[in-house]
Amino acid sequence: MNNHCYFHENEVILNFTYSTVNSSAQLLDSPFFNTFLEKYLDYLETHRKDLRDFLYQGDSNREQVVTKIKGTLRLLLLIHTETVDIPYLELPEIMEEVISEGYRYWTSLERFSILYQQNADSFTTNAFMNLDHEINELARNFYRSVEAKITGRRDNVYKQLDAGSNASLLLQTYQWNCPKEYAQLQNIAFVHTIMVRTPLIIHTKSNKRSNVFQEHDHNPMEDFEGHIEDWVCYPALIGKLLIYAYFHKDYMASCVGTTGLFQLARREDCEGRKPDAILLFGNHDGTKDTVFYYDEQNDLFIGKTSSAEEIDYFGYTKKSLLTLHNLVAIKRGWLPIHGAMVNLYLKDGSKRGLLFMGDSGAGKSETLEALNTIASDIIDHQETVFDDMGSVHIDQYGHIKAEGTEIGAFVRLDDLEKGTAYKDLHRSIFFNPEKKNARVVVPAGNYKTITKGHDIDCFIYANNYTDKRGIHLFKTEQEAKQTFIDGKRFALGTTQESGLSTTFFANPFGPMQKQKACTKLINTIFDKLFEEKIPVGEVYTCLGLPNKGNHGIEEGAKAILDFIIQKNK
C-alpha cells in the first residue's frame, strides 16, 4: 500500500512505513489527519448536518473549512483560549460537540496500521509494538487536550479507549518456493507480527454464507487482480498444513480476524517452502466466486473468494481456508470431520476423547457446553482438540487418531449458554454482535495440542432434527455409516439452506466436492472404528425442534455423561 492513509467504507489503514508522528503538532500536519478530516466532513454531510453547517458557516468551501479547522486546533494546542479570539469558539458548546463527534466517528472505524520492515528482528518487533502504543496514546491525548481547552476544564473520569489502531501488522517479504505460474504473488509482503487490541468488534455487510464452494474450470491465478501493494499474505498453519492466505486491503478485517483462528506461521516456516495451498481472498474480478482448483503440475490447491457484498462475512474466510485444508487432507488420505472434539479429564484421573460430527447448527459446541455445565462435579477440565473442523487418520501403528485445525472457535452467540461467550471477552473478536447469527472468535486451544494425535473413545453424530431425547448407539457399521454419510440436519438460517437438508458426510467443505475419494476414506475409518470397538452413535440435540425441544440438548448431554460414567465402571 503506497498511500499513507487508506479508507474503505468503515475501514481505515494507516501506513507508517514512510512516515509516522511523534507529537500533536506532527499529527495535525500529517497526511493521516488530512484524510481523516475529509472523511469526517463527508460523514457530517449525512449524519450531523447541524454540525456541518456550523463549520461551513454559510459560504465557506471545503478547502477553507479544512484550513480553518486545522488553524483552530493548532491554536488550541498552543495557547489559552481566554487570551485570544479563536475561530469557532464563539459557540464553545457546539465546537465541543464537533470535537466529540469527530472522536466518536474515528473510534467507530475499524482501524488498522501497517509497518513494512525488511529485517524484522527482535529489536524491530519491539520498536513496532512501541510505535503502536505511542500512536494510541498520542491520539487519545490529542482529543483530551483539545476538549479541555474548549471547555476550560479537565475530566475527572477517563475511559481508556483505543484511540489509535485496533490492530497493527508488521510486514516483511519472504523468499518462498514460488512456482513460476504464481510469480505475481512472490513479492507480496507477509504478516510477520500482528498485535490485536481485544476485545475487537468487527462489522461486515453480510452475516451468513449463501455461496457453496465449487471446483473451478481454470486456475484462479488467471483472474488475479490488483497490484502487490494492495495485498498482504497471512501464512496460516492449519493443522499440519501451511496455507498462504492473500487478503486484499479492503478485507483487512478478515486478515486480522484470522489471527484468532489459525496459527500465524513464522518466517522459518515459510522461507524456501512451497505452501500446501493458496487462497486469494477479496479478488476484485467482478464475480461472486467461491471456488478452488487443483494445479496438478505444481501439486497445489488454490482457492479464490471474490470481492462482493454478499461475501463480506468472516465465515467465508474461515470456510475458504478449511475447504483448502480438507481437499489437501483427502488427497493425503486423512478424513476431514466437520465437528468438534474434546478430551474430558475426569476427577477420578481418567480421560475420555469425545468426537462429535454434524453440519452448521447441529449442536456440537452447544452439547459440549451443556455437558460441561451439568458435569462440573465429575469433569475436572476439558481440552479442546477442535471446534469446527478436524481430521481422523490411521497412524503408523495402525491406531485411529484425530487432530484439529484451529487455535480458536468461531462461535454463534445465539445458542450458547448465557455468559459463555464472555468468559474470554478480553481475548475475543466479535462479528456483528447486534445482529442475528452474531459470532465471536474465542481462544480454543494451543497449536501444539491440536496437532497432536488424540485417541477417540466415542464418535457421535449431532442430530438436531429428530424428536427424540438422549443418545443412540449404532449396532452395525452400515447403519452408522448411512447416518453419517446422509449428513442430515435442520438448517437454522446460518447458511443459504433452510429446513431439513442433507449434505454428504455433513461437510460441504471438501468431502461434498470429492465424494468418491472421501467414500473410500469413510469405509476405511469406519472399518477401523468397529474393529477397535469404539462406540459410534448419535445424540439428539433438538436444536431444530420448536423451543429447542424444551431443553432437549441438556438431556442429550446428560445421556452422554451417563454413558461416560458407565464406561468408567
Side-chain angles (χ1 to χ4, degrees):
M1 195 180 80
N2 289 327
N3 40 338
H4 292 82
C5 186
Y6 176 74
F7 269 81
H8 173 68
E9 298 179 350
N10 200 50
E11 177 183 291
V12 59
I13 304 173
L14 305 176
N15 187 351
F16 292 127
T17 302
Y18 306 107
S19 64
T20 183
V21 292
N22 300 305
S23 66
S24 295
Q26 286 184 350
L27 175 61
L28 195 57
D29 291 328
S30 69
F32 313 116
F33 195 79
N34 289 336
T35 304
F36 163 72
L37 265 186
E38 293 286 347
K39 295 296 181 180
Y40 178 45
L41 290 173
D42 291 341
Y43 167 83
L44 293 179
E45 293 277 358
T46 54
H47 292 82
R48 289 298 303 269
K49 199 163 184 307
D50 59 328
L51 299 183
R52 181 264 182 207
D53 290 344
F54 168 76
L55 292 173
Y56 276 75
Q57 296 188 349
D59 56 0
S60 298
N61 61 37
R62 172 66 70 91
E63 184 178 353
Q64 291 171 327
V65 169
V66 169
T67 301
K68 192 174 178 182
I69 292 173
K70 291 180 68 175
T72 299
L73 294 174
R74 187 172 288 107
L75 287 172
L76 286 172
L77 291 172
L78 293 174
I79 62 178
H80 293 289
T81 58
E82 64 271 14
T83 63
V84 66
D85 290 333
I86 298 178
Y88 294 129
L89 289 196
E90 65 274 12
L91 295 172
E93 294 84 2
I94 299 179
M95 189 59 188
E96 180 190 2
E97 193 167 359
V98 168
I99 299 301
S100 297
E101 186 67 19
Y103 189 62
R104 280 194 294 270
Y105 167 65
W106 170 248
T107 54
S108 73
L109 299 173
E110 290 159 13
R111 293 158 280 122
F112 310 110
S113 68
I114 62 173
L115 175 65
Y116 177 85
Q117 291 285 334
Q118 184 48 46
N119 296 310
D121 53 19
S122 59
F123 176 81
T124 305
T125 302
N126 289 335
F128 152 75
M129 297 178 72
N130 288 335
L131 172 63
D132 180 79
H133 175 73
E134 289 165 5
I135 294 295
N136 185 64
E137 290 290 316
L138 179 61
R140 187 165 52 224
N141 291 337
F142 178 88
Y143 163 69
R144 287 175 176 169
S145 296
V146 170
E147 183 187 48
K149 286 291 185 70
I150 294 172
T151 61
R153 58 176 172 77
R154 287 195 173 273
D155 289 331
N156 57 0
V157 175
Y158 293 98
K159 297 179 180 178
Q160 293 292 94
L161 291 176
D162 294 327
S165 68
N166 299 125
S168 298
L169 293 79
L170 180 61
L171 306 177
Q172 229 186 330
T173 301
Y174 293 170
Q175 298 304 312
W176 57 285
N177 182 9
C178 179
K180 64 180 186 301
E181 293 83 1
Y182 301 86
Q184 290 172 274
L185 306 178
Q186 189 163 19
N187 294 318
I188 292 175
F190 281 65
V191 177
H192 176 279
T193 305
I194 188 164
M195 182 165 55
V196 183
R197 296 182 181 275
T198 55
L200 173 61
I201 297 176
I202 292 174
H203 292 92
T204 56
K205 288 190 175 64
S206 180
N207 215 37
K208 68 177 182 179
R209 283 184 290 106
S210 57
N211 278 21
V212 295
F213 298 90
Q214 299 177 326
E215 189 158 11
H216 215 24
D217 58 1
H218 63 276
N219 193 323
M221 277 304 302
E222 298 176 23
D223 307 325
F224 183 67
E225 292 289 337
H227 303 288
I228 63 171
E229 294 85 4
D230 295 334
W231 294 78
V232 296
C233 178
Y234 184 96
L237 291 171
I238 304 179
K240 286 190 169 72
L241 302 183
L242 174 64
I243 299 180
Y244 291 170
Y246 289 89
F247 289 93
H248 189 275
K249 62 185 178 182
D250 290 348
Y251 293 86
M252 188 62 75
S254 294
C255 178
V256 171
T258 302
T259 64
L261 284 183
F262 302 116
Q263 182 74 34
L264 176 64
R266 298 180 183 276
R267 179 174 186 145
E268 54 266 31
D269 298 318
C270 305
E271 289 279 6
R273 181 175 172 183
K274 179 169 69 72
D276 298 295
I278 289 173
L279 173 66
L280 307 175
F281 194 91
N283 195 55
H284 288 261
D285 52 25
T287 72
K288 299 177 182 179
D289 286 346
T290 49
V291 297
F292 65 88
Y293 177 84
Y294 177 59
D295 176 358
E296 187 172 358
Q297 179 180 347
N298 291 297
D299 187 23
L300 188 64
F301 278 97
I302 177 166
K304 182 188 71 168
T305 304
S306 299
S307 175
E309 285 195 11
E310 301 94 318
I311 305 175
D312 183 16
Y313 169 52
F314 187 67
Y316 279 109
T317 308
K318 171 186 169 72
K319 297 302 189 185
S320 295
L321 287 165
L322 288 174
T323 298
L324 291 172
H325 168 275
N326 291 349
L327 291 166
V328 177
I330 291 170
K331 191 171 185 301
R332 297 182 181 180
W334 290 36
L335 179 63
I337 302 295
H338 191 193
M341 182 179 180
V342 296
N343 290 321
L344 297 183
Y345 290 85
L346 308 183
K347 292 186 177 179
D348 64 5
S350 63
K351 184 187 77 168
R352 287 288 178 265
L354 305 186
L355 176 58
F356 292 84
M357 195 181 99
D359 207 346
S360 299
K364 309 174 292 290
S365 302
E366 295 83 353
T367 300
L368 290 172
E369 287 293 339
L371 182 62
N372 198 45
T373 299
I374 66 174
S376 58
D377 59 332
I378 296 173
I379 299 174
D380 182 70
H381 68 281
Q382 290 188 17
E383 178 183 65
T384 300
V385 179
F386 59 90
D387 192 5
D388 184 40
M389 204 73 69
S391 60
V392 296
H393 66 284
I394 299 173
D395 69 9
Q396 58 182 325
Y397 304 107
H399 300 301
I400 192 167
K401 298 289 183 179
E403 294 188 8
T405 55
E406 300 148 279
I407 57 172
F410 185 51
V411 185
R412 187 175 60 251
L413 293 178
D414 308 49
D415 297 316
L416 291 180
E417 293 291 328
K418 184 177 181 182
T420 296
Y422 303 98
K423 289 187 298 184
D424 288 301
L425 171 67
H426 62 295
R427 297 194 293 162
S428 299
I429 302 174
F430 290 82
F431 291 86
N432 302 320
E434 75 284 2
K435 296 181 181 179
K436 183 179 180 181
N437 195 35
R439 300 271 181 157
V440 59
V441 173
V442 295
N446 65 71
Y447 181 71
K448 185 177 180 180
T449 297
I450 68 172
T451 55
K452 182 175 66 175
H454 296 268
D455 293 328
I456 303 169
D457 291 301
C458 65
F459 190 15
I460 303 292
Y461 187 83
N463 177 333
N464 76 344
Y465 55 88
T466 300
D467 195 2
K468 294 181 180 180
R469 304 295 182 273
I471 62 173
H472 165 67
L473 297 180
F474 297 113
K475 295 181 179 179
T476 69
E477 180 181 338
Q478 189 56 41
E479 180 189 13
K481 283 198 297 187
Q482 195 61 54
T483 296
F484 281 76
I485 289 174
D486 285 347
K488 290 183 181 179
R489 57 109 188 210
F490 190 89
L492 302 179
T494 62
T495 67
Q496 78 280 7
E497 298 174 305
S498 61
L500 189 63
S501 65
T502 60
T503 303
F504 178 80
F505 205 56
N507 197 338
F509 313 107
M512 184 179 73
Q513 294 84 350
K514 298 293 181 182
Q515 295 185 24
K516 184 177 179 180
C518 195
T519 298
K520 293 180 181 179
L521 295 174
I522 293 170
N523 290 334
T524 300
I525 293 300
F526 274 77
D527 285 347
K528 179 58 70 172
L529 285 167
F530 277 81
E531 176 188 320
E532 296 190 356
K533 295 183 171 50
I534 296 173
V536 181
E538 60 183 336
V539 60
Y540 304 109
T541 69
C542 304
L543 284 186
L545 303 181
N547 299 317
K548 302 178 183 179
N550 190 23
H551 302 289
I553 202 164
E554 284 83 357
E555 293 187 44
K558 186 177 185 304
I560 291 174
L561 178 61
D562 291 340
F563 169 74
I564 293 172
I565 294 172
Q566 290 299 318
K567 290 287 287 183
N568 273 16
K569 288 182 178 179

